[in-house]
Structures are given as structure tokens and as C-alpha cells.
Amino acid sequence: LDFTQIFAFDLREALLLDCVGRVSAATEFGIKVALMVAFIALMVVVHFISVSVRHQGEFAKHRPTLISFMGTVGIIFYSLITVTLLEPFRCISHPNGLWTV
């Protein structure tokens, strides 16, 4: 496993999507965006439960923590989505020495 693949969030390899069927780039992009929204929703639920149980419902006091976390996750997913959008423009070397997009 290449170190950069950890950050590439390659759904085809992680979920073996190519074994199931052909997945278009638009579908893969949609899945990544949906996963981002689902992950943020999950973290909001976890934050709600954590503040309710551990901090007796002091949501206003712990709101900056949630907002900071959502911003961090947003930046990470923005980077991943940008890599996904630029993937079709990656140059590929051919055996004859020429490059193609």
C-alpha cells in the first residue's frame, strides 16, 4: 500500500467497486460527497450524545469544539474531492515513451 493512497480515499480499491461493476467518475464523486455528509451527521450525533451524557447538556459551551471539528473534516474532504476531480487529468506514461492524459 502506497503512503499516498491513504490520503487519496480511493473508493475503487477500498470498497472493491470494480469487482461489483463499472462505476463512473461522477458516481464515485457522488459517493464521496455523500460519505462526507454522512460522516459529519454521525459526528454531530456523537457530539450531541457526548455533551448530553458527559457535560449535562451544556451545548453552547461545547459548540466551538463541534464547529472546529466540522471545519477540519470539511478541509480534509475538500482535498479528497479535489484530488478526485483532477484524477482524469493525470498523465500516464506509455511503453513507447509518449505521455497521455
Side-chain angles (χ1 to χ4, degrees):
L1 180 67
D2 187 16
F3 180 72
T4 57
Q5 285 180 326
I6 295 171
F7 300 105
F9 195 52
D10 188 8
L11 288 177
R12 293 177 194 274
E13 193 165 313
L15 300 176
L16 300 174
L17 291 177
D18 286 336
C19 293
V20 176
R22 192 101 169 107
V23 178
S24 70
T27 303
E28 188 174 347
F29 177 76
I31 291 171
K32 287 183 181 183
V33 171
L35 284 174
M36 180 184 82
V37 172
F39 185 72
I40 289 177
L42 175 67
M43 293 317 306
V44 168
V45 170
V46 168
H47 179 77
F48 177 78
I49 292 170
S50 173
V51 171
S52 296
V53 172
R54 297 178 68 198
H55 303 287
Q56 291 76 33
E58 297 175 340
F59 293 105
K61 185 177 178 182
H62 296 280
R63 184 178 32 213
T65 305
L66 177 64
I67 292 171
S68 297
F69 178 76
M70 288 172 56
T72 302
V73 170
I75 290 170
I76 291 168
F77 275 100
Y78 175 77
S79 300
L80 296 174
I81 289 172
T82 302
V83 168
T84 302
L85 288 174
L86 295 176
E87 185 69 25
F89 300 107
R90 185 175 53 155
C91 291
I92 300 169
S93 174
H94 291 282
N96 63 3
L98 297 176
W99 290 81
T100 186
V101 177

